[in-house]
Amino acid sequence: MSETRHSLAQFQLKAVDGIKGVVQRVAAMHDRAPSNRSQIALKSGVTLLQSPTGSGKTLMLGRVLEGVRGSLSRPTVWFWFAPYAGLVAQTREALVEQCGSLRVRDLNRDRESIGSRDGDVFVQTWAAVAASNKDARKVRRSSESSLSFDDMLANLRASGFFIGAVIDEAHLNFGASAAVAAEFFLDHIRPDFTILATATPNDDKLEAFEKKAGIEVASRYTVARNDVVDAGLNKVGLKLGVIRFNEGDEKLIDHEQATLQAAWTQHMRVKARLAEHEISVSPLMLVQVEDQGKGGDDPVKRVRDKLIEIGVAEHAIATHTSGEPDPDFHTLAYDPDKHVLIFKVAVATGFDAPRAWTLVSVRPNRGKEFGLQIVGRIMRVHPLVRKIHKSDPILDNGYVLLTDPSLQLGLEAAVEELKAVRSSIEMLTDRLDIYEVDGGPPKMEVNDGNRQSEYFIRPPVTSEERQVRLALLINYGIVRHDVRDMPDAEQDAAIIKGESWQRMVQTPLFGDLPEVERPTNIQSTAPRVGMRHYSLRGDLNLPKALLRELPPDPSKLNDLVDDIARDFCRSADVIALLQRKLSKAHMDLKSLFSSESLETIDLRLRLSNARIAEQAQLAFNFNDSIDPRLLKPALVRALRQIVDDRGIEAEERDLRRAIDLAAMMEPETLKDAIKTAQARQVRVDASEPVPEIYLGPDGLLTSAKGAYGVFPERLNNEERDFARFLDADTTGTVKWWLRNPENETWATRLILPSGHRFFPDFVVGVNGRATPDTIALIEIKDDGETGRLNSDRNVEKARVQHREYKNVFWTFRSDGTWVRGRYAEGLHRIVEQDRFEIKELVYLA
């Protein structure tokens, strides 16, 4: 700390002369009309100094008090109010050092009016005298050894002294406690001169105080920020940043740690530039944290741990909070061994940190005060840098980085806040550059019309579509024939209601719940009215039972997960992910309010093991029958075996991270590994016979090759037409066909990697097919125009085959022709292959 008395800059001299002149004029008014002392003080005696942070307000105010000392008709004792206790010591030191003709006194220890002299200054907080705490009560109470504050004021007035008040950081004293402050101001201090000083005037609070106290701010002296910048006391600009991540990586990174790392990168750029200029200043990075919630984790410890993890030396980190105050807090700004200061908002305002360039805020709620006061901590220019002021863009700017906007009211709120900062500061200056570093607005899921609920019935778009859908419903007997003659709107309403009813009755009520066996001996039950029994045909040589896949034996689940783990680690590129600890990112510096060119800084951000594990949960939770708590350890064991065999060193956390990354990046590979392992361990059962009787409506159309000699009811349009297509085969390929109803205990099914069951629509006996009972399975779909063909469930189904019956044939109509569908690996969708030929049912691929 310098002991040299500073010379004032030109703008400071003007401010000092202007305010000093106001005090002298008001003193003359008091002398001319002593009986109007109170009215003069309230209506003419209040002056506001409005000057940017770092412009030397304390110095200017101190020189004002020095300037009026000895120039007024009577001596003056000043009471200087700072908003926080920490600023009291700082103000006292500054006045002693830079305003030597003033005598700084302590109200707690020295309240004697005898011996008071012109230029005495008492520095304290409002709370020290106006609150109801023990210390304030002590100051306001007389004792044998000392006067009360109120008695001292009365004695000073009786002795002919003027009383002056300086209210520093005035915006902080006129909030919710305006009434209390006003009462104390009016009833007890009753100053003859009042000087308010602030960098961030809050007119609402000031007006509230004026109203409560009945005063008027008769004089304002505003210092333009340009003057402060030109004098080398304020940095030229202010840059704000949010990180731009590579697509997909934002979910794998701890955004708070990433912001700290980006800020540390900028801090090191500043440090390197200072070294290039051979300036022996160690820059300081400020980190503002939120208050600790009741029973919550300590935010200071959280941030400290993350700083250490990104490479900041523990001894280089200082902290100062109300809970853990640093007794040497105000020397931190000058300690070159401290590179980071973690603080809370309560200690943020007013502390002097001329070597601070970078500020990180991880506090979730930021308002105007953040922009105008906290940011002000990094706008001062260090004395040793003034010789190159306005010549180096890196050193001429302060840098603010905010953590993840989605955690801080969103990016839009952050931008709007900074606009408020800019507009507030514009009242002081016509230039302030603010920059934003941004990775784009927060992503929000919107309903774009293509992602409707699976239960949403879309109305017809064209007249042709309306007639086709209506015809199907009429054919099914769901909609009356006379609906064709109604207006389009009523037809659409009928279609939506009819298809909703159709979907409801065709959808299994309890989804994939285990089947409940139902009686197969229906002959003893009389058919309902209009219904009849159709017997299973004995002339077609149908099998007695179908082979059904059953999930692996639950008692062998450990064997299954070990099998899955080995297949996955062999197939996925897990080894390459072992060393993936960093992600590329960028920090873009751009102006929000000017056309200044963009500057981009490359970053290497640390991946968060915790975030990766959190995101990977979904990758492991797609199969309800396989517990991730068993699967993940098995995967880690399998990977450990591989790295040990290859002589690769890897810690347990590296193995877990690699497995999590692989599961997220290659989900289909994991599903394939489950499919392959399940295929080896899936059980096949044929204990449920095909029913001897099918109960259906009387009068069903006869079928030449249908298992029950008829086309069963509840076939949709596509299924009915395909059944006719099979029935009309003249090549000798189709021996018989059977509708394979979903969720029937006897129906054949496949076990999917997700653990769900897949019931293909048709079971077909095929001459020459090399499968048990020469069976082929066929799945019928619509034409795919509605998107249902390529639903996630269908894509999953298209990738599996029955353990005994092998491949499932997928078919749908294209321009009225039945075509084959196949799963395209590269596209991850079902695509049209070629015309569906009956004779191809023989082939197993």
Side-chain angles (χ1 to χ4, degrees), residues 417-675:
E417 178 179 293
L418 287 167
K419 288 181 180 178
V421 171
R422 179 178 183 267
S423 64
S424 295
I425 296 179
E426 278 186 331
M427 293 189 297
L428 314 177
T429 178
D430 56 5
R431 171 167 183 174
L432 175 64
D433 295 328
I434 300 181
Y435 302 80
E436 173 197 4
V437 183
D438 177 24
K443 296 180 180 178
M444 299 179 62
E445 288 200 7
V446 296
N447 190 338
D448 60 5
N450 297 320
R451 298 180 59 191
Q452 298 284 6
S453 164
E454 60 180 308
Y455 302 106
F456 175 78
I457 302 297
R458 177 179 56 82
V461 176
T462 65
S463 177
E464 180 181 2
E465 180 190 355
R466 179 179 296 107
Q467 295 310 312
V468 170
R469 290 169 64 181
L470 187 58
L472 289 174
L473 293 171
I474 292 173
N475 290 340
Y476 289 152
I478 297 174
V479 173
R480 303 190 313 273
H481 287 274
D482 60 358
V483 174
R484 293 183 187 273
D485 302 325
M486 295 181 179
D488 289 351
E490 293 185 29
Q491 290 184 15
D492 290 349
I495 289 170
I496 291 172
K497 291 178 181 179
E499 290 182 353
S500 297
W501 169 256
Q502 185 181 39
R503 181 172 298 179
M504 182 177 68
V505 299
Q506 290 181 349
T507 300
L509 183 60
F510 298 109
D512 283 324
L513 290 177
E515 307 97 328
V516 177
E517 294 189 10
R518 62 183 66 181
T520 57
N521 184 14
I522 310 177
Q523 293 180 357
S524 61
T525 305
R528 291 171 292 173
V529 176
M531 305 291 284
R532 60 164 288 188
H533 291 157
Y534 297 92
S535 298
L536 188 67
R537 292 174 58 180
D539 60 323
L540 296 180
N541 196 28
L542 277 87
K544 296 296 183 184
L546 299 177
L547 299 176
R548 304 171 300 142
E549 287 188 354
L550 301 179
D553 187 343
S555 66
K556 297 181 179 179
L557 190 56
N558 287 334
D559 294 337
L560 175 62
V561 295
D562 287 341
D563 206 5
I564 294 169
R566 285 190 294 271
D567 280 348
F568 180 66
C569 289
R570 281 196 296 264
S571 304
D573 193 13
V574 186
I575 297 297
L577 297 173
L578 276 173
Q579 299 304 316
R580 192 185 174 200
K581 299 180 181 179
L582 302 176
S583 169
K584 291 182 179 180
H586 306 282
M587 183 164 62
D588 296 333
L589 303 179
K590 64 179 181 179
S591 173
L592 290 177
F593 305 107
S594 71
S595 58
E596 185 170 322
S597 60
L598 186 74
E599 179 186 6
T600 300
I601 300 168
D602 293 333
L603 300 172
R604 295 293 183 272
L605 301 178
R606 185 178 298 274
L607 296 177
S608 166
N609 290 347
R611 290 292 292 271
I612 291 172
E614 177 185 327
Q615 293 297 318
Q617 282 298 106
L618 292 176
F620 292 106
N621 281 338
F622 65 90
N623 188 314
D624 294 338
S625 63
I626 299 177
D627 191 340
R629 292 172 296 181
L630 292 177
L631 179 57
K632 290 185 71 172
L635 289 164
V636 173
R637 289 195 302 270
L639 182 56
R640 168 61 72 188
Q641 183 65 48
I642 292 174
V643 299
D644 287 348
D645 290 346
R646 298 187 185 183
I648 300 172
E649 292 186 1
E651 296 183 9
E652 194 74 9
R653 63 181 181 181
D654 296 329
L655 298 177
R656 290 196 300 268
R657 182 183 64 252
I659 290 297
D660 285 336
L661 284 171
M664 284 189 294
M665 297 171 67
E666 301 186 51
E668 299 308 318
T669 304
L670 180 58
K671 291 179 182 179
D672 284 342
I674 293 176
K675 178 181 70 175

Side-chain angles (χ1 to χ4, degrees), residues 88-99:
V88 170
Q90 182 177 320
T91 302
R92 287 173 178 167
E93 292 172 5
L95 292 177
V96 169
E97 181 182 308
Q98 294 297 323
C99 306

